[in-house]
Amino acid sequence: FTTCGTLVVNTPLPSSCFNLTIYDLMGKMVQQIVMTGKATTINRNDLPDGLYFFSVNNETRTYMTTGKLIIQ
């Protein structure tokens, strides 16, 4: 995404609160967002162009997924 993007979490769990954590290529956490629903808008803020990794989990950590983000 460029300025902001939307992440949608599809899960079979009824939880409505998820933690989204974004990491740079070195594994350093660069952004953490509490998602209150199945979709959230991610603002680029001061993140430079590049490849990032993310993880999403619910409050009990019984659901977790990971992926990649490309910011340009």
Side-chain angles (χ1 to χ4, degrees):
F1 57 88
T2 53
T3 304
C4 64
T6 301
L7 179 68
V8 177
V9 176
N10 293 312
T11 173
L13 299 175
S15 177
S16 62
C17 185
F18 295 92
N19 296 310
L20 166 66
T21 308
I22 301 174
Y23 303 93
D24 66 13
L25 285 176
M26 301 301 290
K28 178 183 171 191
M29 182 182 70
V30 294
Q31 201 171 98
Q32 191 164 30
I33 301 166
V34 175
M35 299 173 59
T36 55
K38 295 199 179 240
T40 192
T41 299
I42 304 168
N43 291 315
R44 178 181 179 156
N45 295 333
D46 295 325
L47 294 177
D49 291 355
L51 178 65
Y52 293 85
F53 299 98
F54 71 87
S55 67
V56 177
N57 56 57
N58 64 351
E59 57 275 338
T60 60
R61 295 193 177 263
T62 55
Y63 173 80
M64 184 168 180
T65 189
T66 58
K68 298 177 188 175
L69 291 173
I70 298 174
I71 296 179
Q72 34 184 318

